[in-house]
Amino acid sequence: MQKFWIWLTRFASPPVFYRVAGLWRPWLGLATLLFGVPALIYGLFFAPADYLQGESYRIIYLHVPAAWVSMLAYVAMATAGAAALIWHTKLSELAVVSIAPLGAGFTALTLLTGMLWGRPTWGAYWVWDARLTSELVLLFLYLGVIGLASAYGDARRGARAAALLSLVGLVNLPIIHYSVHWWNTLHQGSTVRIFGESSIDGSMLWALLASAMAAKFYFAWSLLGRLRLQLLAAESEKAWVAKALNLEPADA
Amino acid sequence: MLEWFESMGHWAFISASYAAMVIAIAIDLISQRLGRSGLTLRLQQQRARRRLRKGI
Amino acid sequence: MELSLSLAFRAALQRELKLAWRRRGDLLHPFAFTLLVATLFAIGVGAEITLLQRASGAVAFLCVLLALFLSVDGLFRPDRDDGQLDHLLISPVPLPLLLSARLLAYWLVHGIGLTLASPLLAMLLRLPADQLPVLMLALTTATIGMSAIGLIGAALTVPLKRGGILLALIVLPLYVPLLIFGCGTVAAQANGEPIAAALYLTAALSAFLATLAPFVAAIALRLGMD
């Protein structure tokens, strides 16, 4: 156990993480392409059309993976936030700051594809469906974290405040989700449910799972890239940064 | 414009969604690339300025 | 030790209430604000009674919610400006205890104060008479949770020059469940259904938030000040 902690703290040291993350990134990028390209091509052209919704259900291969990642990213951000508050490691603070815009992007994509799906299915771009509404609230939570992190003059203090806020958000997220669901059943008992409840054909399922994997790999790939950049910026006075960016050493 | 878009049927919505994904990925890639080159430039200038101050 | 803790709590509470009492003129502002929003809403919708009446419970609730939000920024900012906040942080009494006294005082002054203003609001919006007690009950309960969320938001933004729109972005999304259950209580009464479920959910959420908030706000204040 102690060995594991030593290994972990070594891994959290900026130069080591920078190097290891750089080694992982090509593989993550490759995995994204390997899962994503066949899944999207199959979903777009070869999967059978849904007998209820026709062709427009093909948006599912974007919408659902993006939605999963948007929630997963929030959990990841709050986990990093907890680590930042407990151990004060620079890496986890930077992880909070790097995940927030990425998660907000996935949330925005979820909302956008959901709207584009809604128009042909429900006849309106926006319906106050429980899932769409809680996704919208999730976007606001992300925006709050991003805003708080950038509002502080001191980047580290901003990151810690954002970390705490992300934890508060994580505690509230299930409550928000449940309450919105409750509200939704109260106000419109008979909306057409297109997300989730309808059962899904096996041939669609593997493509959906593959595209979900691709979205997760893309998230990890992009996150590592952003984290590496944040590390370089945060440690700009250190010698390893000069070496990584091919600069002359700071005190020549 | 919107009416024209909607009159194109299902595939208009599908391709708009896929286009949104492509744009999102492009923004992500470009912002990462710009961030890296911007940081390199900033550090280079910072170092050059410091060297000038020290040298002269 | 126990005695001194309860003494500290009472002293902190008394201080807050005394301060609020000295500035009692300021309490009219949020009150006027709720009436103003209700008026603007009624003018915007038009004087059509049925439409106004159907939305009146939710609108009254929202007016109070917005007015309460406006006073959140004042939770710590004046104390930071005159240095009181530093004293709070270096005090030997546990910070969460002092913060819960502050939360209680804030709720007594603003939460209860605005709830007491709601009958006038209800009159303006033509709220059916049987819904008024339910609205006041829901407001009394929900404002506890809202004050607790406000405490966290104010603690997170107090090191910044101004809370402003960022504070709204932090606090308002967290208000959502309270808004849903609070308005749900009034809506249940309007539909002739039992109000207990929604009211209990509001109360449970408020209790949860009020327990958690002083601790979270204490961490936030320490993060911002060191």
Side-chain angles (χ1 to χ4, degrees), chain A residues 113-187:
Chain A
T113 50
M115 286 166 73
L116 285 168
W117 194 358
R119 182 65 179 84
T121 314
W122 285 323
Y125 283 105
W126 189 265
V127 173
W128 290 97
D129 162 78
R131 284 164 208 238
L132 276 177
T133 310
S134 34
E135 197 72 20
L136 185 62
V137 177
L138 182 68
L139 182 65
F140 291 134
L141 290 180
Y142 272 123
L143 292 182
V145 172
I146 295 172
L148 193 62
S150 56
Y152 278 72
D154 177 35
R156 286 200 76 167
R157 270 169 57 187
R160 274 189 216 149
L164 187 62
L165 181 62
S166 67
L167 273 174
V168 172
L170 185 71
V171 172
N172 274 283
L173 212 52
I175 302 173
I176 291 172
H177 189 80
Y178 170 74
S179 69
V180 168
H181 205 82
W182 184 86
W183 163 80
N184 190 244
T185 49
L186 194 75
H187 286 266

Side-chain angles (χ1 to χ4, degrees), chain A residues 14-245:
Chain A
V16 176
F17 184 85
Y18 182 85
R19 198 167 46 78
V20 176
L23 290 177
W24 280 17
R25 279 196 85 211
W27 297 104
L28 287 169
L30 192 68
T32 309
L33 292 178
L34 272 179
F35 278 92
V37 171
L40 289 188
I41 288 177
Y42 177 82
L44 204 49
F45 300 112
F46 299 104
D50 189 88
Y51 86 105
L52 260 182
Q53 299 173 37
E55 304 286 352
S56 59
Y57 91 94
R58 292 179 198 279
I59 297 175
I60 201 175
Y61 299 109
L62 295 181
H63 177 78
V64 171
W68 280 344
V69 173
S70 71
M71 284 176 250
L72 185 84
Y74 202 92
V75 176
M77 181 171 75
T79 313
L85 291 177
I86 296 168
W87 292 301
H88 295 273
T89 41
K90 204 182 257 179
L91 184 66
S92 38
E93 286 166 16
L94 294 178
V96 174
V97 179
S98 328
I99 293 176
L102 201 54
F106 271 101
T107 314
L109 191 64
T110 309
L111 287 171
L112 196 65
T113 50
M115 286 166 73
L116 285 168
W117 194 358
R119 182 65 179 84
T121 314
W122 285 323
Y125 283 105
W126 189 265
V127 173
W128 290 97
D129 162 78
R131 284 164 208 238
L132 276 177
T133 310
S134 34
E135 197 72 20
L136 185 62
V137 177
L138 182 68
L139 182 65
F140 291 134
L141 290 180
Y142 272 123
L143 292 182
V145 172
I146 295 172
L148 193 62
S150 56
Y152 278 72
D154 177 35
R156 286 200 76 167
R157 270 169 57 187
R160 274 189 216 149
L164 187 62
L165 181 62
S166 67
L167 273 174
V168 172
L170 185 71
V171 172
N172 274 283
L173 212 52
I175 302 173
I176 291 172
H177 189 80
Y178 170 74
S179 69
V180 168
H181 205 82
W182 184 86
W183 163 80
N184 190 244
T185 49
L186 194 75
H187 286 266
Q188 29 184 226
S190 61
T191 43
V192 189
R193 284 257 149 66
I194 59 169
F195 303 115
E197 264 83 345
S198 62
S199 61
I200 190 162
D201 190 63
S203 60
M204 299 173 190
L205 188 64
W206 78 260
L208 182 61
L209 288 181
S211 57
M213 287 309 290
K216 285 181 184 102
F217 282 128
Y218 182 84
F219 170 72
W221 177 81
S222 178
L223 173 61
L224 287 187
R226 282 162 186 281
L227 252 178
R228 290 181 85 207
L229 196 61
Q230 294 274 359
L231 277 175
L232 288 177
E235 302 252 291
S236 61
E237 296 300 314
K238 301 276 171 66
W240 71 267
V241 174
K243 229 167 81 186
L245 288 177

Side-chain angles (χ1 to χ4, degrees), chain C residues 9-24 27 101-110:
Chain C
F9 183 84
R10 224 176 313 151
L13 186 64
Q14 265 170 8
R15 171 183 178 269
E16 295 299 317
L17 291 178
K18 214 178 276 173
L19 273 178
W21 178 248
R22 289 218 187 108
R23 292 190 220 126
R24 55 190 175 274
L27 294 178
R102 186 165 288 227
L103 176 61
L104 181 60
Y106 177 81
W107 174 68
L108 285 174
V109 173
H110 290 95

Side-chain angles (χ1 to χ4, degrees), chain B residues 27-40:
Chain B
I27 291 174
D28 186 29
L29 292 181
I30 291 170
S31 74
Q32 281 188 51
R33 189 58 56 84
L34 281 183
R36 196 176 168 96
S37 58
L39 180 72
T40 316

Side-chain angles (χ1 to χ4, degrees), chain C residues 98-173:
Chain C
L98 296 177
L99 291 181
S100 48
R102 186 165 288 227
L103 176 61
L104 181 60
Y106 177 81
W107 174 68
L108 285 174
V109 173
H110 290 95
I112 297 285
L114 283 170
T115 307
L116 291 178
S118 60
L120 206 55
L121 214 58
M123 231 157 22
L124 276 181
L125 294 167
R126 304 285 295 263
L127 186 79
D130 66 311
Q131 290 176 33
L132 179 61
V134 179
L135 173 71
M136 291 181 74
L137 203 59
L139 277 177
T140 316
T141 324
T143 45
I144 301 174
M146 289 183 205
S147 309
I149 293 168
L151 192 79
I152 297 175
L156 279 170
T157 51
V158 71
L160 308 176
K161 277 200 190 66
R162 36 183 302 169
I165 194 80
L166 180 61
L167 190 59
L169 211 51
I170 292 173
V171 167
L172 292 183

